[in-house]
Amino acid sequence: MQSVKVVFHIDETDKWPLLLANIRNLIKAVDIHSSEIVVLANSKAVSIFDGQTEPNHSEAIAAISSSNVKVQVCENSLNGLNIEKSKLPSVVEVVPVGVLALIEKQTAGFAYIKP
Amino acid sequence: MQSVKVVFHIDETDKWPLLLANIRNLIKAVDIHSSEIVVLANSKAVSIFDGQTEPNHSEAIAAISSSNVKVQVCENSLNGLNIEKSKLPSVVEVVPVGVLALIEKQTAGFAYIKP
Amino acid sequence: MQSVKVVFHIDETDKWPLLLANIRNLIKAVDIHSSEIVVLANSKAVSIFDGQTEPNHSEAIAAISSSNVKVQVCENSLNGLNIEKSKLPSVVEVVPVGVLALIEKQTAGFAYIKP
């Protein structure tokens, strides 16, 4: 199977189910070990990590992480919603500026998809 | 006029009018015969092909197809909505995994636009 | 600090606050003088320039423009909403076909972000 490099962008809470479905379909179709698949969450989309919002998709996020998908969240967005990094699932990475990460990935040859 | 390579992504039913207007404007501004313009529909956006949803934009889709625009739909999404391929307009192509097609196009130098 | 090339796409009126917040965060993180940051507004997003819609974000748009961000609007979209170019803030540029500008920027190596 083929390798891909792609960053999925999510900035709305209610797009998580669609994004996770997209990724599950993609995982089945590519060689996940040689692929680089990144989810970049910023703005309201990070609210699922505030310890109160339901559903928080924690099982689905753990599942895609175990399939070599990186889940990254924007530190500016966490700060804006007063979410402490200590509340994040251990598989989630923090990047300082989400939009800058989106640019850097594309400059490095990643495709961009906004579900 | 210039040539372009672009994939338009649609995953919401109510975005079809905007997407079709975008494409009509683009067609007037480029050399359509040397351009590669693709519409990739996945998720809920494919529901217009279920034989019941109105408007189904069939005339507009036929019109852009006759202007060398390819319209592709995600097979996973069709299956998820129980839409048989036999119901699709003859101009519409099926791709197995919509998000993979979006990645492949960008890797091949296509721009990405999400109306 | 690093340089970036990016085009932000907006086609919905209510996405202006999110887009402007994204850009303010980005500006703080890059060298704005050697970067090329473009906002391309088409479809309904240009309605903030009709002289009636509030908020029209005029101060925020002037502020990012003074930080070397280009704000471009689609002429087709202005015409569709009967907005005269004379009503536009002086910092705003008009491009004939918004989606074509989005393609040209990406072909020239700009990243694409749709907040």
Side-chain angles (χ1 to χ4, degrees):
Chain A
M1 286 195 289
Q2 65 188 299
S3 300
V4 294
K5 290 167 70 175
V6 59
V7 57
F8 286 85
H9 179 200
I10 179 167
D11 57 11
E12 296 175 278
T13 307
D14 62 1
K15 291 291 176 70
W16 278 104
L18 172 56
L19 176 135
L20 291 163
N22 280 180
I23 288 177
R24 280 190 292 264
N25 283 330
L26 181 61
I27 285 172
K28 291 180 211 155
V30 300
D31 176 16
I32 56 172
H33 297 296
S34 60
S35 290
E36 295 180 70
I37 304 172
V38 177
V39 174
L40 190 292
N42 68 346
S43 187
K44 298 275 173 60
V46 309
S47 66
I48 64 165
F49 302 114
D50 66 6
Q52 298 176 345
T53 299
E54 290 292 344
N56 64 10
H57 305 292
S58 59
E59 291 186 18
I61 287 173
I64 63 170
S65 295
S66 71
S67 294
N68 204 30
V69 175
K70 275 190 194 172
V71 180
Q72 299 182 330
V73 298
C74 172
E75 188 168 15
N76 280 333
S77 305
L78 292 175
N79 292 342
L81 294 170
N82 291 314
I83 299 173
E84 295 176 23
K85 291 185 208 174
S86 60
K87 285 187 180 169
L88 298 174
S90 58
V91 295
V92 171
E93 299 174 5
V94 176
V95 297
V97 184
V99 287
L100 181 56
L102 290 171
I103 297 167
E104 290 174 334
K105 285 278 177 291
Q106 291 180 68
T107 304
F110 283 61
Y112 171 92
I113 295 178
K114 180 84 186 290
Chain B
M1 285 196 290
Q2 65 189 297
S3 300
V4 294
K5 292 167 68 175
V6 59
V7 57
F8 286 85
H9 179 201
I10 179 169
D11 56 11
E12 296 175 277
T13 307
D14 62 2
K15 293 291 177 69
W16 278 104
L18 173 56
L19 176 135
L20 291 162
N22 279 179
I23 288 176
R24 280 189 293 265
N25 283 331
L26 181 62
I27 285 172
K28 291 179 209 156
V30 300
D31 177 17
I32 57 173
H33 297 296
S34 60
S35 291
E36 297 180 70
I37 303 171
V38 177
V39 174
L40 190 292
N42 68 346
S43 187
K44 299 275 173 61
V46 309
S47 66
I48 64 166
F49 302 115
D50 66 5
Q52 299 176 344
T53 299
E54 290 293 343
N56 64 10
H57 305 292
S58 59
E59 290 186 19
I61 288 172
I64 63 170
S65 296
S66 71
S67 293
N68 204 31
V69 175
K70 275 191 194 172
V71 180
Q72 300 182 328
V73 298
C74 172
E75 188 168 16
N76 280 334
S77 304
L78 292 173
N79 292 343
L81 294 170
N82 292 312
I83 298 172
E84 294 176 22
K85 291 185 208 176
S86 60
K87 286 187 178 169
L88 298 174
S90 59
V91 294
V92 171
E93 301 174 4
V94 176
V95 297
V97 184
V99 287
L100 181 55
L102 290 172
I103 297 166
E104 290 173 335
K105 284 279 177 291
Q106 290 180 70
T107 303
F110 283 62
Y112 171 92
I113 296 178
K114 180 83 186 291
Chain C
M1 285 195 289
Q2 66 189 298
S3 300
V4 295
K5 291 167 68 175
V6 59
V7 58
F8 286 85
H9 179 201
I10 179 166
D11 56 11
E12 296 174 277
T13 307
D14 61 3
K15 293 290 177 71
W16 278 103
L18 173 57
L19 176 135
L20 291 163
N22 280 178
I23 288 176
R24 280 190 293 264
N25 283 330
L26 181 62
I27 286 172
K28 291 179 210 156
V30 300
D31 176 18
I32 58 173
H33 298 295
S34 60
S35 291
E36 296 179 69
I37 304 172
V38 178
V39 174
L40 190 292
N42 69 344
S43 188
K44 299 274 174 60
V46 310
S47 66
I48 64 165
F49 302 114
D50 66 6
Q52 299 176 343
T53 299
E54 289 292 345
N56 64 10
H57 305 291
S58 60
E59 291 187 18
I61 287 172
I64 64 170
S65 296
S66 71
S67 293
N68 204 30
V69 175
K70 276 190 193 172
V71 179
Q72 300 183 328
V73 298
C74 172
E75 187 168 16
N76 280 335
S77 304
L78 292 175
N79 292 342
L81 294 170
N82 292 313
I83 298 172
E84 294 176 24
K85 291 184 208 176
S86 60
K87 286 188 179 171
L88 297 174
S90 59
V91 294
V92 171
E93 300 175 4
V94 176
V95 297
V97 184
V99 287
L100 182 55
L102 290 172
I103 297 167
E104 290 174 334
K105 285 277 176 293
Q106 291 180 69
T107 303
F110 283 61
Y112 171 92
I113 295 177
K114 179 83 185 292

